[in-house]
């Protein structure tokens, strides 16, 4: 990966013999969009956005993007519902739950498209994905984030492709087996073929837009995880409290930015998916509701799509929050090890721990840190935050006990993470959401089929 060029225009003017001009003449001006080129990290990603007709970098592409949104999110689903209702069809081709499917999927797709359009138009793709902040990160973070960006399109296809294949199979069967019953215009084969293709394109467009915004949120959260893993290395070296505090404040600021940008989308997605699932549960648990794979298969596929997208959001948010809050435990362990080391040094004993990077000092023989062979049993569950290894605390460290204690108190009272209007999205919050959802489900089932 090539490093981001942060040179100034003044240097180029000097080489050309021209007048020196500052790169930014007015800080209040917005950042201008950069033209994508083959050496741009976002080159392939921009091409994908253009192919999906969600790129709004120019007036022409903006008009095309909004036109495709209106056609595949609003027009095609509406025409499919009202013109292909098939009220006189048999039980295998009737569509009693089509209204809930089209309304739920189109609502979530509209929410995703509007949020994505606002993000890209207001911040630009590079600023929205925090690529403008990578120049100040380590090479490990930059390389890991770029690799994750390249994997994002594959991850997106892993979610979209199975849904599209399942829906394609269902629609082809529905049109092929019920051609004589389905309303058509003119030639029955041509009419059904065009209708089937338009419905499949509409389904592909809506699911792709939904998963695209969720995968982008996962990508941004992964950047913060990489930064936190890189931040954990400061406890493995003789760092001063000021630098540790400054870096943590910068990470907290970026987490607040992400929370502020995505809070409306996350909350709206939670409400929308919850409402759609309760509506689906209500109409399928009626006494006269005839459930079979032919009539309710599309509804089940729509529900799985929406729930999967919501789980991507909640899992990404809770994961970054867990990593951010684990800093407190790491700092406390660092403080304990450093305190023990200082007492050993004052008492004239042998230093208990050493700097693994420099190799100075000696390891104590009276400390049992456990069997090193057990580390293989943990696999990938242990990282720089969650492990049972002692942290190197240095006999010659200049950090006083008061400074370390103040830093630990700061971490305990300033826990970072993804928040939604002040509510932290951690694992306890997810447990609360699950409890509320389960209570509502049991209440609804008690009203419909009599579960007590």
């Amino acid at each position: 990966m090539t490093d981001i060029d942060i040179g100034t225009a003044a240097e180029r003017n000097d080489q050309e013999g021209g007048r020196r001009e500052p790169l930014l003449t007015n800080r209040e001006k917005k950042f201008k969009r950069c033209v994508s080129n083959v050496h741009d990290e976002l080159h392939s990603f921009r091409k994908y956005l253009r192919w999906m007709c969600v790129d709004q970098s120019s007036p022409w592409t903006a008009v095309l993007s909004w036109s495709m949104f209106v056609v595949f999110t609003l027009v095609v689903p509406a025409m499919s519902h009202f013109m292909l209702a098939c009220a006189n069809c048999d039980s295998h081709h009737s569509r009693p739950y089509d209204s809930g499917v089209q309304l739920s999927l189109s609502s979530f797709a509209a929410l995703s498209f509007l949020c994505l359009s606002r993000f890209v138009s207001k911040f630009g793709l590079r600023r929205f994905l925090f690529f403008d902040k990578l120049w100040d990160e380590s090479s490990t973070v930059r390389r890991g984030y770029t690799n994750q960006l390249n994997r994002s399109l594959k991850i997106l296809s892993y979610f979209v492709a199975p849904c599209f294949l399942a829906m394609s199979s269902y629609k082809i069967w529905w049109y092929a087996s019920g051609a004589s019953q389905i309303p058509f215009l003119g030639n029955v084969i041509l009419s059904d073929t065009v209708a089937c293709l338009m419905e499949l394109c509409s389904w592909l467009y809506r699911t792709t837009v939904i998963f695209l915004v969720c995968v982008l949120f996962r990508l941004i959260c992964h950047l913060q995880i990489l930064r936190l893993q890189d931040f954990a290395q400061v406890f493995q070296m003789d760092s001063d409290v000021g630098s540790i505090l400054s870096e943590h404040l910068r990470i907290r600021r970026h987490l607040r930015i992400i929370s502020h940008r995505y809070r409306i989308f996350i909350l709206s997605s939670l409400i929308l998916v919850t409402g759609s699932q309760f509506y689906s549960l209500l109409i399928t648990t009626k006494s006269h509701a005839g459930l079979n794979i032919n009539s309710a298969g599309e509804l089940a596929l729509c529900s799985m799509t929406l729930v999967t997208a919501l789980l991507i959001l909640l899992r990404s948010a809770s994961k970054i929050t867990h990593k951010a809050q684990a800093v407190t435990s790491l700092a406390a362990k660092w403080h304990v090890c450093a305190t023990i080391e200082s007492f050993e040094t004052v008492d004239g004993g042998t230093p208990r721990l050493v700097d693994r990077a420099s190799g100075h000092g000696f390891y104590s023989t009276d400390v049992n840190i456990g069997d090193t062979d057990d580390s293989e049993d943990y696999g990938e569950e242990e990282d720089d935050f969650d492990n049972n290894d002692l942290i190197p605390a240095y006999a010659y460290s200049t950090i006083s006990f008061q400074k370390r204690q103040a830093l630990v108190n700061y971490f305990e009272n300033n826990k970072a993470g993804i928040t939604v209007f002040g509510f932290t999205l951690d694992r306890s919050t997810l447990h609360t959401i699950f409890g509320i959802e389960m209570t509502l489900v049991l209440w609804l089932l008690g009203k419909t089929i009599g579960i007590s």
Side-chain angles (χ1 to χ4, degrees):
M1 170 184 160
T2 58
D3 293 336
I4 299 176
D5 184 13
I6 56 175
T8 60
E11 296 176 357
R12 294 191 295 268
N13 290 333
D14 287 342
Q15 296 175 359
E16 298 174 359
R19 182 173 55 89
R20 293 174 60 89
E21 294 181 357
L23 179 62
L24 295 178
T25 56
N26 187 358
R27 293 185 178 181
E28 299 298 329
K29 291 183 178 180
K30 295 182 178 180
F31 289 98
K32 294 183 178 180
R33 306 291 173 80
C34 60
V35 180
S36 179
N37 54 74
V38 294
H39 301 291
D40 185 13
E41 300 91 342
L42 300 174
H43 178 70
S44 59
F45 199 80
R46 295 180 196 273
K47 290 178 60 177
Y48 179 80
L49 293 181
R50 295 192 192 99
W51 181 76
M52 281 302 304
C53 298
V54 293
D55 180 31
Q56 301 183 12
S57 57
S58 65
W60 163 249
T61 56
V63 172
L64 179 62
S65 176
W66 281 95
S67 300
M68 299 294 288
F69 166 72
V70 172
V71 170
F72 289 124
T73 307
L74 303 177
V75 177
V76 173
M79 294 180 62
S80 172
H81 176 67
F82 291 106
M83 298 181 63
L84 302 177
C86 202
N88 299 325
C89 295
D90 54 26
S91 58
H92 295 290
H93 295 84
S94 61
R95 306 172 70 181
Y97 312 116
D98 184 68
S99 59
V101 172
Q102 302 296 349
L103 185 61
S104 300
L105 199 62
S106 294
S107 300
F108 205 169
L111 174 65
S112 303
F113 180 83
L114 293 177
C115 290
L116 181 61
S117 300
R118 178 180 176 273
F119 293 152
V120 176
S121 61
K122 183 176 181 180
F123 307 107
L125 187 59
R126 179 172 292 273
R127 290 184 61 197
F128 171 62
L129 296 179
F130 289 91
F131 267 88
D132 60 321
K133 306 294 184 182
L134 288 183
W135 65 271
D136 198 27
E137 304 295 340
S138 64
S139 59
T140 304
V141 175
R142 295 199 301 266
R143 183 170 56 253
Y145 188 53
T146 304
N147 294 335
Q148 189 66 26
L149 174 66
N150 298 329
R151 291 185 61 247
S152 296
L153 297 181
K154 296 181 180 180
I155 296 175
L156 179 63
S157 64
Y158 294 156
F159 290 108
V160 175
C163 297
F164 180 69
L165 292 177
M167 180 54 61
S168 298
S169 303
Y170 174 79
K171 286 297 181 181
I172 292 174
W173 167 84
W174 193 78
Y175 278 98
S177 60
S180 59
Q181 307 179 49
I182 302 173
F184 62 91
L185 298 175
N187 185 277
V188 58
I189 298 179
L190 180 61
S191 177
D192 289 348
T193 302
V194 173
C196 181
L197 290 177
M198 292 299 292
E199 281 203 85
L200 290 179
C201 290
S202 175
W203 182 277
L204 177 62
Y205 178 83
R206 288 180 290 178
T207 54
T208 303
V209 170
I210 290 172
F211 283 118
L212 177 61
V213 180
C214 298
V215 170
L216 288 180
F217 177 74
R218 178 186 178 276
L219 173 66
I220 295 174
C221 290
H222 186 77
L223 171 61
Q224 307 309 315
I225 292 178
L226 291 174
R227 295 183 61 199
L228 284 170
Q229 292 175 350
D230 193 60
F231 171 73
Q233 301 301 320
V234 300
F235 297 103
Q236 304 291 336
M237 60 187 67
D238 195 3
S239 305
D240 62 286
V241 174
S243 61
I244 297 176
L245 180 61
S246 176
E247 180 63 21
H248 189 263
L249 288 174
R250 192 165 69 95
I251 295 177
R252 289 189 72 240
R253 180 178 180 272
H254 287 180
L255 291 177
R256 286 198 301 268
I257 292 175
I258 298 173
S259 302
H260 181 75
R261 291 178 182 177
Y262 266 92
R263 57 184 181 179
I264 296 180
F265 177 75
I266 295 176
L267 181 60
S268 302
S269 300
L270 180 61
I271 296 175
L272 181 61
V273 173
T274 301
S276 65
Q277 296 311 299
F278 276 109
Y279 175 75
S280 301
L281 185 62
L282 180 62
I283 61 178
T284 54
T285 53
K286 291 182 179 180
S287 57
H288 60 276
L291 288 178
N292 55 68
I293 188 62
N294 300 318
S295 60
E298 192 173 1
L299 178 64
L301 187 59
C302 175
S303 299
M304 288 189 293
T305 301
L306 300 185
V307 172
T308 302
L310 180 62
L311 290 179
I312 294 175
L313 293 175
L314 296 180
R315 182 183 182 276
S316 301
S318 61
K319 187 175 181 180
I320 182 64
T321 302
H322 171 72
K323 293 293 183 181
Q325 294 180 353
V327 175
T328 303
S329 175
L330 184 63
K333 184 168 61 173
W334 167 74
H335 180 37
V336 170
C337 294
T339 303
I340 296 175
E341 177 71 15
S342 62
F343 276 102
E344 288 289 334
T345 304
V346 171
D347 295 340
T350 303
R352 185 177 300 269
L353 295 170
V354 299
D355 184 359
R356 296 175 183 172
S358 62
H360 298 300
F362 303 93
Y363 281 98
S364 178
T365 58
D366 60 346
V367 178
N368 183 13
I369 61 175
D371 190 358
T372 57
D373 295 336
D374 293 341
S375 60
E376 299 179 357
D377 299 335
Y378 291 98
E380 298 180 355
E381 296 180 3
E382 284 196 350
D383 53 16
D384 292 332
F385 291 96
D386 301 319
N387 59 68
N388 296 322
D389 297 334
L390 293 177
I391 298 177
Y394 314 109
Y396 304 102
S397 177
T398 58
I399 303 179
S400 64
F401 176 87
Q402 290 79 7
K403 290 183 179 180
R404 296 195 306 268
Q405 183 64 41
L407 184 63
V408 173
N409 290 337
Y410 163 78
F411 285 134
E412 291 177 348
N413 295 281
N414 293 272
K415 295 182 179 181
I418 301 298
T419 60
V420 176
F421 295 101
F423 295 94
T424 304
L425 289 180
D426 53 6
R427 294 174 180 176
S428 60
T429 304
L430 297 186
H431 295 162
T432 303
I433 294 175
F434 177 78
I436 296 175
E437 299 277 353
M438 183 60 66
T439 302
L440 293 176
V441 167
L442 294 178
W443 174 82
L444 183 60
L445 291 178
K447 296 295 183 179
T448 54
I449 61 178
I451 291 182
S452 58

